[in-house]
Amino acid sequence: MATQQRTAAHTPLRTQVRRASGLDRNPLCRPVDRARSRTALALPLVLALLVAVGAAVAVLVFRVETQAEQETARHRHAVTATTVGPAVTDDLRTGSARAHAPARWAYPVGPGTGTVQVAAGTGVGSTVAIQLDDSGVPAAGARTTAAVLSDAGVLGVGTATGLVSLAVVGYTVHRRTLDRRAERSWEPDWERVEPLWSQRR
């Protein structure tokens, strides 16, 4: 059985194509052998298609997220804030380099005050660049193109990997089913073909 599987796996491409298309007139070529060849030829095509699907997902995500970040950027305004109190580290247990501090700033809608993100150790009276929304409230700025590209790439690769994994599992299960079918039918098939092969009457 293992020899049959190795032989099938190393069958030349031309023979696989002839067998899959039904042009192989060899009396030893059984329907299950044609099914094996069709499966072997279909796998790389399916895998290529699934990789293309993953790439399409990445492109789509990149376009959608880029559009969203561009919309966000239109409603963000960079201003300079001045801290009016000491910086407090966000997580003392992990030694975080991020902190927050009370600050004030000027904006066309009027002066503003609030808590802003700063680097740990920022002193009172330090200036910090912040982003405000249209109403003058601190808000997260738009993400960079690199960040959007990274997200799109992760989703695209994840989609392709998941689909390819499912396809390989499906191929393996189907191939084993064909191998079991071939093993069960070998004796009956040989009894049918052997007289033709040996010219025995």
Side-chain angles (χ1 to χ4, degrees):
M1 182 61 188
T3 303
Q4 293 175 15
Q5 292 181 4
R6 285 197 296 271
T7 302
H10 293 87
T11 302
L13 178 61
R14 182 178 179 182
T15 302
Q16 293 274 35
V17 172
R18 287 177 57 82
R19 190 174 291 170
S21 61
L23 297 176
D24 189 344
R25 301 304 181 188
N26 187 330
L28 293 179
C29 180
R30 301 166 295 167
V32 70
D33 297 320
R34 296 189 183 92
R36 279 172 166 171
S37 292
R38 293 189 186 107
T39 301
L41 292 174
L43 180 63
L45 298 177
V46 170
L47 295 183
L49 177 61
L50 296 180
V51 169
V53 169
V57 167
V59 171
L60 179 62
V61 170
F62 179 76
R63 288 180 178 174
V64 170
E65 291 197 2
T66 296
Q67 213 170 29
E69 295 307 322
Q70 288 173 344
E71 181 64 21
T72 297
R74 281 194 284 271
H75 298 281
R76 295 293 180 267
H77 312 279
V79 300
T80 300
T82 302
T83 59
V84 295
V88 178
T89 303
D90 291 343
D91 192 344
L92 294 172
R93 294 171 300 176
T94 60
S96 173
R98 301 184 61 172
H100 59 274
R104 65 170 180 268
W105 56 87
Y107 187 62
V109 298
T113 60
T115 300
V116 298
Q117 290 265 338
V118 296
T122 299
V124 178
S126 300
T127 56
V128 182
I130 63 172
Q131 297 277 333
L132 304 178
D133 62 18
D134 292 335
S135 61
V137 175
R143 291 185 303 158
T144 64
T145 300
V148 172
L149 186 60
S150 176
D151 279 358
V154 168
L155 284 172
V157 171
T159 299
T161 301
L163 292 176
V164 166
S165 299
L166 288 175
V168 170
V169 169
Y171 168 82
T172 302
V173 171
H174 183 59
R175 184 58 189 260
R176 287 177 179 173
T177 300
L178 292 176
D179 289 341
R180 287 194 294 269
R181 186 189 305 171
E183 187 176 14
R184 287 195 303 269
S185 65
W186 179 255
E187 290 297 334
D189 287 343
W190 177 247
E191 289 176 2
R192 176 178 56 82
V193 172
E194 191 273 337
L196 299 174
W197 182 261
S198 63
Q199 300 298 318
R200 179 172 57 84
R201 297 180 181 277

